[in-house]
Amino acid sequence: REAKKDATRARLAEATYEIVRTQGPDHLTAEAVATMAGVSRRTFFNYFPSIDAACAHSVELLLAELTETLSRRPADECLWDTMEALLAGEAGSPVIERLALLAATKENSPVARHLAHDHIDAFVEWLTGWLMDRLGPDVDEVYAATLAASVVATAEATLRIWSERHGGSTEPASVAAYPDMLTRSLGLLRTGFDTAALP
């Protein structure tokens, strides 16, 4: 029974992003999510008190999957290489896809701006926790939190430039340009903005 409840909860949460992706963030309602998930509106509220809660769970599921993916990387891998794989590689592509979609629509949609803000906050919190685990018990929490915030801010700034250059297009070719831009941005952060040290 618990497994079935978890599956329903996950289906509802995943439906929130599917609506944002296929219909746009302004179509995100409890009724729409319930319909997309194949359940009643009443069932939706049995699992979540609000749309925000369902969206938050959707992000939690995504970050849990990302944690699992990163756990398979070599334990002695250079931290910056792991972070690049996290954000600019295949591991982070579902996160980037979501942020790119929200960036493309947030100028004209208060809902998209709200979702983008929540996604970024959740990602900073998750990355801080992941860095604390990755760097071990002696790591300074201020160091981990500052690094996480800096990396996410770099990704966000790059996303803003990408959106301006590509007109907010979510076409595969446009989205594919983002990882290359992000790799360069992370390289600047990694070298302390020493452009001469970039490859």
Side-chain angles (χ1 to χ4, degrees):
R1 175 172 289 188
E2 286 305 313
K4 186 176 180 180
K5 285 183 177 179
D6 288 345
T8 301
R9 184 177 291 106
R11 195 163 74 248
L12 284 163
E14 288 161 2
T16 63
Y17 176 64
E18 188 62 17
I19 288 170
V20 171
R21 189 180 68 80
T22 59
Q23 301 175 33
D26 293 324
H27 290 84
L28 196 57
T29 65
E31 290 84 355
V33 171
T35 299
M36 177 72 72
V39 300
S40 68
R41 183 177 185 275
R42 184 182 209 174
T43 297
F44 173 89
F45 285 109
N46 284 339
Y47 285 89
F48 297 108
S50 65
I51 281 291
D52 280 356
C55 290
H57 190 58
S58 173
V59 177
E60 288 169 9
L61 292 173
L62 180 64
L63 295 179
E65 191 175 310
L66 194 54
T67 301
E68 177 61 28
T69 299
L70 290 180
S71 72
R72 295 194 290 270
R73 298 191 70 84
D76 60 349
E77 182 177 50
C78 169
L79 178 62
W80 283 105
D81 289 343
T82 305
M83 299 247 271
E84 186 174 312
L86 162 65
L87 287 168
E90 288 186 12
S93 58
V95 175
I96 298 308
E97 178 190 271
R98 288 194 187 208
L99 293 178
L101 178 62
L102 293 170
T105 56
K106 72 177 184 178
E107 292 307 315
N108 299 314
S109 170
V111 177
R113 285 196 293 275
H114 173 69
L115 289 175
H117 182 273
D118 285 354
H119 275 64
I120 290 167
D121 279 356
F123 195 62
V124 171
E125 184 178 351
W126 170 83
L127 185 55
T128 300
W130 181 82
L131 285 168
M132 295 283 288
D133 289 341
R134 172 71 162 71
L135 296 172
D138 296 329
V139 68
D140 180 1
E141 186 176 2
V142 173
Y143 174 86
T146 303
L147 179 56
S150 299
V151 167
V152 174
T154 298
E156 187 181 8
T158 306
L159 191 58
R160 185 165 55 250
I161 296 170
W162 168 85
S163 185
E164 290 169 357
R165 288 184 182 178
H166 292 270
S169 172
T170 55
E171 291 297 315
S174 297
V175 174
Y178 178 71
D180 289 339
M181 294 175 64
L182 182 56
T183 296
R184 175 170 172 75
S185 295
L186 290 174
L188 288 168
L189 189 61
R190 181 175 187 169
T191 61
F193 294 90
D194 179 5
T195 55
L198 291 175

